[in-house]
Amino acid sequence: MKQVIDFVKANLEKEKQPAHALGFGKYFTDHMFMMDYNEEQGWHEPRILPYQPLTMEPSSMVFHYGQAIFEGLKAYRTPEGKIQLFRPDKNIERLNFSCQRMSIPTLDEALVLDAITQLVTIEKDWVPSEEGTSLYIRPFIIATEPYLGVRPSKRYKFMIILSPVGSYYGGDQLKPVKIHVEENYVRAVKGGVGHVKTSGNYAASLKAQEEAEAQGYDQVLWLDAKENKYVEEVGSMNIFFKINGEVVTPELNGSILGGITRSSCLQLLDYWNFPVSERRISIEEVFEAYYRGELEEAFGAGTAAVISPVGELSWNNQKITLPPSETETIAKRLYDAITNIQLGKEPDPFQWTVEVK
Amino acid sequence: MKQVIDFVKANLEKEKQPAHALGFGKYFTDHMFMMDYNEEQGWHEPRILPYQPLTMEPSSMVFHYGQAIFEGLKAYRTPEGKIQLFRPDKNIERLNFSCQRMSIPTLDEALVLDAITQLVTIEKDWVPSEEGTSLYIRPFIIATEPYLGVRPSKRYKFMIILSPVGSYYGGDQLKPVKIHVEENYVRAVKGGVGHVKTSGNYAASLKAQEEAEAQGYDQVLWLDAKENKYVEEVGSMNIFFKINGEVVTPELNGSILGGITRSSCLQLLDYWNFPVSERRISIEEVFEAYYRGELEEAFGAGTAAVISPVGELSWNNQKITLPPSETETIAKRLYDAITNIQLGKEPDPFQWTVEVK
């Protein structure tokens, strides 16, 4: 039986920013979705209400023990003015995967899709149409029980907030980024929580990112925590290399996040019969391929930036530069294919998009 | 120059619970301390105000990227009715250590001590006097900037809340606990954040703890993430073994939290000229010592429970039982020494305690 989502309309509509001023995750729309959990009622009272501050007890467990997970996806405006979501089922599935690992009660996936769809419908005028823009959708769950013992919370809030966004890195799409291979800090390890979208993973990454930026890099590339040898992720994206005509990306090993853009890239490469492998790859192999002249491309893939080509890679006092290709790169081909499907400019052979009516 | 802490008195005083009903971290006092950070003013507006809910933007970075740290210490009532803190300088030092690792601006340590002291003074009637009770002090920092990009927040709140507490495990002090040696999940790894008190470490530990409890254990003992072999911590305590007359505890290796109770135990053992070593110790060594009849004791040490003797240890389908000793154990001796100093029942040769006047 389909659950009814209550709706309380905002009295005032906020002013919308012009596309060039949007940035990423700075402005939020007029409404938000909220649903609560307690032991007696389970998840209950799904509702869309005016965007507003939360009232939180200082002892809310999320502040102390970090029991929090999130997702990120986007709604796009097509040339005909329609609005569509990109693979929302994958985000919702991963949300529940994160719930399970973090001892949070799982959600009804149909209800979550319904909540996203209804909220985006209400906020349809907030979906921008300019090149490189979209409406970012942030579902998240936080532990709200006011208690300081270390155990899973008995109360939670599930919320969805929306933010009209421009380009994540603030500049051109497909602008090559400078990457520092991180050798001191690590992001995650097998048996931990690196493969789920929990808040603590991001907090743990800040210091390395900050130090890399101070040295003039855009992002860090994480190596595995056990041997400091195998490539894991880049910043908060998955990483791909093109070596001697084959695309290689690290296999999902329990510490890497299973990105939805990553999975879309793999599916597209397969569809194109492009040689691709998911496997363990050491940073040494990447540098050796470069010195042999076989490292043709490197790029990150994630929801925020879609595809980010790597222009420079620094590791162990070696700095290598990947010059802009004179032919069409696989990074560009993937970027165009994915964004054209997201924006409804090309047919969607995989049924990745869901129209919001 | 000493900063002035503003004070707004609560209009109403809450009812205080009887000692047996306190539990841990369930009830909070009438006032709290708060101070804000922004880029223009740095840490500013230190104030004590009525305990009350916070108003938080849904996009506050702490909800999404987990930039949050905390401390835990206690105020004790002496037999003469005085109130004293136990090693607050160590907690405040560690708070700043956590700040540095988590890219949070550090605090003025003298101001933090002043804040704790003034708040506890105002709430002096909340410090319970019954056996096993104390006033738990929870300083914490959360990232409050409303922004969804992944980088350190530009706004924070530093708060101190107080909770009158009974025994952490709800039962007798020094009641032996059953421990499951965790082989699937890990807590932390070198290069990560296991050595700092950040919220995500606790979220990452919940699943293993929950599964161990479902099997009848009280806590998990964590092994190292690289080899799944060396002993790290137990639950959220440090672990000690007494093997053939010597006390052994894992050395601080970058993934273990440097506990203040741990450091107090080491200092006491040293003072007593008791053989002690901080070194890497494998779980295999612990079990072998048991089978040789040389594992005399095992116990956890932490602020919440002070000392928790281990009664049972299960690893790799082997279950070993440490029978209650007929002679005085080192666990009991440490527990008595530390709690007697905390409670002002014995002289304090180390100047660990600070009276709150």
Side-chain angles (χ1 to χ4, degrees):
Chain A
M1 205 189 66
K2 203 165 157 168
Q3 258 189 285
V4 174
I5 298 175
D6 279 342
F7 175 44
V8 178
K9 198 173 179 326
N11 287 325
L12 289 173
E13 284 183 11
K14 294 183 223 173
E15 201 184 332
K16 295 180 182 68
Q17 304 296 317
H20 67 85
L22 288 178
F24 186 90
K26 288 198 295 189
Y27 301 102
F28 298 90
T29 68
D30 296 317
H31 299 87
M32 62 188 189
F33 174 87
M34 191 185 281
M35 179 160 70
D36 297 298
Y37 176 90
N38 63 32
E39 287 187 310
E40 302 72 42
Q41 297 162 279
W43 285 111
H44 65 281
E45 218 185 317
R47 58 204 187 273
I48 290 170
L49 67 169
Y51 191 90
Q52 62 192 282
L54 305 176
T55 301
M56 300 281 297
E57 286 296 321
S59 58
S60 295
M61 293 181 85
V62 65
F63 296 143
H64 304 271
Y65 307 128
Q67 210 188 356
I69 60 173
F70 72 92
E71 275 301 325
L73 67 162
K74 289 174 171 176
Y76 303 87
R77 176 82 64 185
T78 71
E80 301 81 41
K82 291 192 293 187
I83 296 169
Q84 54 188 29
L85 305 172
F86 184 72
R87 310 191 78 180
D89 52 320
K90 289 285 161 195
N91 290 93
I92 298 169
E93 196 180 280
R94 191 171 61 184
L95 187 67
N96 267 344
F97 178 72
S98 296
C99 280
Q100 281 160 3
R101 179 64 182 84
M102 303 311 292
S103 301
I104 295 172
T106 55
L107 296 152
D108 173 344
E109 299 192 3
L111 175 64
V112 178
L113 182 58
D114 209 25
I116 292 172
T117 307
Q118 289 193 33
L119 182 61
V120 172
T121 303
I122 288 167
E123 304 292 55
K124 59 183 187 303
D125 293 346
W126 281 92
V127 184
S129 55
E130 290 81 358
E131 172 89 34
T133 64
S134 57
L135 184 68
Y136 184 77
I137 303 167
R138 170 57 58 95
F140 65 105
I141 301 179
I142 53 175
T144 53
E145 186 186 353
Y147 179 56
L148 297 186
V150 180
R151 60 148 171 76
S153 176
K154 292 177 178 174
R155 295 190 211 160
Y156 300 89
K157 264 189 200 305
F158 168 55
M159 299 185 62
I160 306 169
I161 57 177
L162 306 178
S163 172
V165 299
S167 159
Y168 185 74
Y169 295 112
D172 305 335
Q173 308 295 346
L174 288 174
K175 190 186 151 205
V177 290
K178 290 186 186 182
I179 302 294
H180 173 68
V181 180
E182 179 56 53
E183 293 184 272
N184 298 313
Y185 300 113
V186 298
R187 182 187 165 275
V189 64
K190 189 163 188 262
V193 294
H195 57 318
V196 303
K197 251 183 131 59
T198 182
S199 65
N201 289 335
Y202 298 81
S205 78
L206 298 174
K207 185 81 174 169
Q209 174 67 24
E210 210 178 28
E211 291 184 5
E213 279 174 18
Q215 291 176 58
Y217 299 98
D218 298 297
Q219 295 271 318
V220 299
L221 188 147
W222 301 103
L223 298 181
D224 80 284
K226 292 193 185 186
E227 298 182 59
N228 226 246
K229 185 172 170 181
Y230 298 101
V231 170
E232 296 249 315
E233 299 189 19
V234 56
S236 48
M237 297 184 287
N238 292 113
I239 181 92
F240 289 77
F241 301 99
K242 182 162 164 260
I243 297 175
N244 198 18
E246 185 194 37
V247 172
V248 180
T249 192
E251 64 196 341
L252 299 181
N253 60 359
S255 59
I256 294 174
L257 190 80
I260 291 157
T261 310
R262 174 186 183 279
S263 126
S264 305
C265 288
L266 292 173
Q267 214 171 319
L268 275 166
L269 290 164
D270 202 50
Y271 183 70
W272 296 335
N273 287 315
F274 202 97
V276 59
S277 82
E278 292 177 76
R279 64 171 171 86
R280 206 158 75 154
I281 177 167
S282 71
I283 189 64
E284 204 171 353
E285 180 182 343
V286 173
F287 273 68
E288 280 171 5
Y290 174 82
Y291 291 125
R292 277 199 317 272
E294 293 181 355
L295 179 64
E296 294 150 358
E297 289 181 52
F299 55 94
T303 295
V306 188
I307 300 287
S308 273
V310 174
E312 195 179 300
L313 207 51
S314 142
W315 170 63
N316 191 19
N317 299 319
Q318 302 164 67
K319 191 177 281 190
I320 62 178
T321 306
L322 291 160
S325 172
E326 292 175 16
T327 57
E328 192 189 54
T329 60
I330 198 74
K332 172 123 177 44
R333 202 173 153 197
L334 286 166
Y335 177 82
D336 288 342
I338 293 173
T339 56
N340 283 337
I341 292 173
Q342 288 171 335
L343 294 165
K345 293 182 179 174
E346 295 281 347
D348 172 11
F350 312 104
Q351 296 179 294
W352 281 342
T353 56
V354 176
E355 192 185 338
V356 175
K357 284 180 179 146
Chain B
M1 203 187 66
K2 203 163 157 168
Q3 258 189 285
V4 174
I5 299 175
D6 280 341
F7 175 44
V8 178
K9 198 173 179 324
N11 288 325
L12 289 174
E13 284 184 11
K14 294 182 222 172
E15 200 184 334
K16 296 180 181 67
Q17 304 295 319
H20 67 85
L22 288 177
F24 185 90
K26 288 197 294 188
Y27 301 102
F28 299 90
T29 67
D30 296 318
H31 299 87
M32 62 188 189
F33 174 87
M34 191 184 283
M35 179 160 68
D36 297 298
Y37 177 90
N38 64 30
E39 286 186 312
E40 301 73 42
Q41 297 163 279
W43 284 111
H44 65 281
E45 218 187 318
R47 58 203 187 273
I48 291 170
L49 67 170
Y51 191 90
Q52 62 193 285
L54 305 176
T55 301
M56 300 281 297
E57 287 296 321
S59 58
S60 295
M61 293 181 86
V62 63
F63 295 144
H64 304 272
Y65 307 128
Q67 211 188 356
I69 60 173
F70 71 91
E71 274 302 324
L73 68 162
K74 289 174 172 174
Y76 303 86
R77 175 83 65 186
T78 72
E80 301 80 41
K82 291 193 293 189
I83 295 169
Q84 53 188 29
L85 306 172
F86 184 71
R87 310 191 79 181
D89 53 319
K90 290 285 162 197
N91 290 93
I92 297 169
E93 196 180 281
R94 191 172 61 184
L95 186 66
N96 268 344
F97 178 72
S98 297
C99 280
Q100 281 160 2
R101 179 62 183 87
M102 303 312 291
S103 301
I104 295 172
T106 54
L107 296 151
D108 173 345
E109 300 192 2
L111 175 64
V112 178
L113 182 58
D114 209 25
I116 291 172
T117 307
Q118 288 194 34
L119 182 60
V120 172
T121 304
I122 289 167
E123 304 292 56
K124 60 183 186 303
D125 293 345
W126 282 93
V127 184
S129 56
E130 291 82 358
E131 171 90 34
T133 65
S134 57
L135 185 68
Y136 184 77
I137 302 167
R138 169 56 59 95
F140 65 104
I141 301 179
I142 53 175
T144 53
E145 186 187 353
Y147 179 57
L148 296 187
V150 179
R151 59 148 172 76
S153 177
K154 293 177 179 174
R155 295 189 211 162
Y156 300 89
K157 264 189 200 305
F158 169 55
M159 299 184 61
I160 306 170
I161 57 177
L162 306 178
S163 172
V165 300
S167 160
Y168 186 73
Y169 295 112
D172 305 334
Q173 308 294 348
L174 288 174
K175 190 186 149 202
V177 290
K178 290 186 186 182
I179 302 293
H180 173 67
V181 180
E182 181 56 54
E183 293 184 273
N184 298 312
Y185 301 113
V186 298
R187 181 186 166 276
V189 66
K190 187 160 189 260
V193 295
H195 57 318
V196 303
K197 251 181 132 60
T198 183
S199 65
N201 289 335
Y202 298 80
S205 78
L206 297 175
K207 185 80 174 170
Q209 174 68 21
E210 210 178 29
E211 290 184 6
E213 279 174 19
Q215 291 175 60
Y217 298 98
D218 299 298
Q219 296 271 321
V220 299
L221 188 148
W222 301 103
L223 298 182
D224 81 284
K226 293 193 184 187
E227 299 180 59
N228 226 245
K229 185 172 169 182
Y230 298 101
V231 170
E232 296 249 316
E233 299 189 18
V234 57
S236 48
M237 299 183 287
N238 292 113
I239 181 92
F240 289 77
F241 301 99
K242 181 163 165 257
I243 297 175
N244 198 18
E246 185 194 37
V247 172
V248 181
T249 192
E251 63 195 341
L252 299 181
N253 59 359
S255 59
I256 293 173
L257 189 81
I260 291 157
T261 310
R262 174 186 182 278
S263 125
S264 307
C265 288
L266 291 173
Q267 213 170 321
L268 275 167
L269 291 164
D270 201 49
Y271 183 70
W272 295 334
N273 287 315
F274 202 97
V276 59
S277 81
E278 293 176 77
R279 64 170 171 85
R280 206 157 76 154
I281 178 167
S282 71
I283 189 65
E284 202 170 354
E285 180 183 341
V286 172
F287 273 68
E288 280 171 5
Y290 175 82
Y291 292 124
R292 277 199 316 272
E294 293 182 355
L295 179 64
E296 294 151 358
E297 287 181 57
F299 55 92
T303 294
V306 190
I307 300 288
S308 272
V310 175
E312 194 179 301
L313 207 50
S314 144
W315 170 63
N316 190 20
N317 299 317
Q318 302 164 66
K319 192 177 281 190
I320 63 179
T321 306
L322 291 160
S325 171
E326 291 176 17
T327 58
E328 192 188 54
T329 61
I330 198 73
K332 173 125 177 41
R333 203 173 153 197
L334 286 166
Y335 177 83
D336 287 343
I338 293 173
T339 56
N340 284 338
I341 292 173
Q342 288 170 335
L343 294 166
K345 293 181 179 173
E346 295 281 348
D348 171 11
F350 312 104
Q351 296 179 297
W352 281 341
T353 55
V354 176
E355 192 185 339
V356 176
K357 283 181 179 147

